[in-house]
Amino acid sequence: DSSLPAAQLIRIQDAVERRDTRVKVFGWVHRQRVQGKDMMFVVLRDGTGFLQCVMTDRLCHSFDALTLTLESAIAVYGVIREVPAGKTAPDGHELIVDYWQVVGKAPGGDDSFSNRVSEESDPSLLLQQRHLVLRGDRASSILKVRARVMRAFRDHFDGNGYFEVTPPCMVQTEVEGGSTLFEFDYYGEKAYLTQSSQLYLETCLPSMGAVYTLSESYRAEKSNTRRHLSEYTHCEAEIPFISFNDLLDTIEAMVKGVVNRVWEEPATRAMITQLNPEFKPYTEPFVRMRYEEAIKWLNDQGVKRAEDGLDFEFGDDIPEAPERKMTDAIGKPILLTHFPGPIKAFYMPATKEDPRVTESVDLLMPGVGEVVGGSMRIWDHDQLLAAFQRQGLNPDVYYWYLDQRKYGTCPHGGFGLGIERFIAWITNSRTVRDCCLYPRFVGRCQP
């Protein structure tokens, strides 16, 4: 109708500010409902929000209206009005449509969207159809929360004087053990996908001070569990001139700070509350527990080793299930410290008080388990060289890492946090596979 005012193109997130004006909105049909012969309700989705659209009379009688399908892309024109008293709609308003058109029609029948994926579908099918699953309420909300969490990590580090760096993902060294390396041919040389950027971050300390990265890490672990991925987003940081207690304080402050940042954003808070109604930011100090205390707790509670049914002993690597049982029973975040040297990485230094244990820490979260792993780093050249020899690693390959202990070494420490596990904790997701765009794990490299 050329007599109507020109429509302003808006995104749904801006609809409240454009009430009582004629607008144009593009989006996808998220839900639809026909009421009688002369009224149709369409909930439109554009990635920024949802908008209920009301179509009446001739607008419901066209061929496109009669054959409209879920996930079709359409353009709608009309005026946004508050919903009548007693009625509900997203953001408390609806678009009274005066004209609309199909931009890209989705198929119906056997190939309709609802026939391709549904909440009852087999998990393997949902993974194969992940590109369609992403359009669902829960999947899209998790990814939006993830985006805000990633931004909050950057804001936290930037606000505390860290510099972000982007280390290489193609390397010729190992960090966490050779059994989990993805090996490939690099112009005739053996190379690997990085397990961790830690060693590279350490080289930045003398020139940049405290540094961090948000980048991908890769582990060729054939662990088909709900908390393991072969490719994951790794938040890592290294800090010079700190003590082990400083490191623990830094990890706790980071987790609390990032949670508070996302919690203070109304839209993000609403998504988290919808995904995980019980979630609340922690304000109390995290529990600090030594490895030996954890062994005692497990034995006192009658938790036995799975392989032989006996009590846990000093030196045992506590498996995921007992660790989760302890964390969930305590019900608070736990900074678990001072692990024995043989079960931790080569670069972790022994404590002066007890050379059997290292200045190491795992942050355990209820419902998820380990989210952060960190430690001080061996900063004495000869001690690090001896650690390479004990591990059976060729120090020549790590010449650049050893040089950090040669040219102005200093006490320093750092940590790595798995973003997907952090998101799983916040959103109460059963598996980390739901907390990334396209999960990669044993047997899954599609789509």
Side-chain angles (χ1 to χ4, degrees):
D1 187 342
S2 59
S3 68
L4 294 174
Q8 299 178 10
L9 177 61
I10 68 166
R11 294 180 298 176
I12 292 176
Q13 68 179 10
D14 302 321
V16 173
E17 302 167 7
R18 295 292 188 272
R19 285 180 179 174
D20 301 320
T21 58
R22 189 166 185 261
V23 298
K24 176 182 180 180
V25 183
F26 288 104
W28 289 265
V29 177
H30 192 66
R31 286 189 293 273
Q32 63 181 124
R33 176 169 60 90
V34 175
Q35 186 170 310
K37 296 186 298 182
D38 299 320
M39 182 172 286
M40 181 166 68
F41 294 90
V42 172
V43 175
L44 205 62
R45 181 192 75 241
D46 74 346
T48 72
F50 298 90
L51 178 63
Q52 180 168 287
C53 306
V54 183
M55 303 174 185
T56 58
D57 301 328
R58 290 195 307 163
L59 296 175
C60 303
H61 301 160
S62 68
F63 178 79
D64 281 339
L66 296 173
T67 60
L68 186 63
T69 50
L70 291 179
E71 294 304 322
S72 292
I74 64 174
V76 291
Y77 299 72
V79 178
I80 298 173
R81 306 286 191 194
E82 287 192 60
V83 294
K87 303 293 184 180
T88 60
D91 292 325
H93 58 215
E94 57 192 8
L95 180 70
I96 309 302
V97 180
D98 58 55
Y99 178 75
W100 72 281
Q101 59 190 136
V102 174
V103 176
K105 192 168 187 176
D110 292 341
D111 202 26
S112 67
F113 183 84
S114 56
N115 281 338
R116 292 285 296 275
V117 292
S118 70
E119 293 182 359
E120 293 75 31
S121 297
D122 184 86
S124 62
L125 174 64
L126 294 177
L127 287 165
Q128 190 68 16
Q129 304 295 330
R130 177 73 174 165
H131 58 295
L132 300 179
V133 171
L134 296 177
R135 303 186 184 203
D137 292 339
R138 181 172 178 83
S140 60
S141 293
I142 289 173
L143 291 181
K144 289 174 183 176
V145 169
R146 177 189 169 105
R148 294 297 179 256
V149 166
M150 296 279 281
R151 184 176 68 183
F153 272 107
R154 287 192 164 94
D155 289 345
H156 171 82
F157 286 120
D158 293 345
N160 284 278
Y162 290 65
F163 284 100
E164 182 174 8
V165 295
T166 50
C169 68
M170 296 183 289
V171 302
Q172 292 186 309
T173 53
E174 66 177 72
V175 183
E176 301 295 338
S179 63
T180 64
L181 286 167
F182 279 107
E183 183 179 325
F184 66 96
D185 181 87
Y186 186 76
Y187 304 111
E189 297 182 27
K190 184 184 294 186
Y192 315 101
L193 295 178
T194 185
Q195 299 169 310
S196 166
S197 297
Q198 173 202 320
L199 307 190
Y200 293 101
L201 294 184
E202 289 185 55
T203 67
C204 299
L205 298 181
S207 58
M208 303 178 73
V211 291
Y212 75 98
T213 187
L214 283 164
S215 49
E216 305 311 298
S217 288
Y218 305 86
R219 303 283 172 92
E221 289 183 283
K222 294 184 179 179
S223 300
N224 200 3
T225 74
R226 60 179 180 164
R227 70 173 196 168
H228 283 92
L229 292 168
S230 296
E231 176 187 47
Y232 65 99
T233 304
H234 211 173
C235 173
E236 298 182 87
E238 292 292 322
I239 313 103
F241 302 108
I242 62 169
S243 67
F244 184 54
N245 283 332
D246 293 334
L247 179 64
L248 301 183
D249 292 340
T250 298
I251 294 171
E252 181 170 343
M254 175 195 66
V255 171
K256 288 180 175 178
V258 168
V259 169
N260 287 337
R261 285 177 188 273
V262 297
W263 196 248
E264 289 167 1
E265 297 179 358
T268 309
R269 181 173 181 168
M271 286 188 289
I272 293 172
T273 301
Q274 186 175 27
L275 293 165
N276 186 5
E278 303 300 318
F279 183 82
K280 293 290 186 295
Y282 284 98
T283 56
E284 298 179 3
F286 291 177
V287 174
R288 300 195 178 189
M289 175 186 287
R290 296 174 71 100
Y291 164 87
E292 283 187 272
E293 295 173 317
I295 293 292
K296 184 177 184 303
W297 188 97
L298 293 171
N299 291 336
D300 288 347
Q301 299 299 316
V303 180
K304 305 296 184 181
R305 295 188 303 206
E307 61 271 22
D308 56 17
L310 299 177
D311 282 352
F312 284 92
E313 298 178 353
F314 182 90
D316 288 341
D317 193 357
I318 303 174
E320 176 188 355
E323 182 183 82
R324 284 279 299 275
K325 184 171 184 177
M326 179 184 72
T327 307
D328 292 348
I330 293 173
K332 297 178 181 179
I334 301 171
L335 287 163
L336 189 60
T337 66
H338 298 92
F339 291 86
I343 65 173
K344 301 305 281 186
F346 70 89
Y347 51 75
M348 297 184 180
T351 65
K352 293 179 180 179
E353 301 79 19
D354 184 354
R356 299 178 306 158
V357 300
T358 57
E359 293 184 312
S360 52
V361 57
D362 285 350
L363 175 60
L364 311 178
M365 286 298 187
V368 178
E370 181 189 344
V371 174
V372 179
S375 76
M376 298 299 288
R377 317 308 193 192
I378 294 176
W379 57 288
D380 178 83
H381 181 279
D382 292 342
Q383 289 181 15
L384 183 58
L385 193 60
F388 280 128
Q389 293 169 346
R390 285 196 302 272
Q391 194 73 13
L393 299 173
N394 179 7
D396 294 341
V397 180
Y398 296 85
Y399 72 93
W400 50 274
Y401 186 62
L402 279 164
D403 274 353
Q404 304 308 307
R405 279 71 179 168
K406 185 176 179 181
Y407 295 96
T409 191
C410 73
H412 62 284
F415 56 85
L417 175 146
I419 291 292
E420 287 79 10
R421 291 187 184 181
F422 190 87
I423 301 297
W425 167 57
I426 288 180
T427 61
N428 193 32
S429 296
R430 183 184 177 278
T431 169
V432 293
R433 296 173 185 178
D434 294 337
C435 300
C436 56
L437 189 62
Y438 290 103
R440 297 291 183 254
F441 54 94
V442 179
R444 172 62 58 184
C445 201
Q446 283 186 336

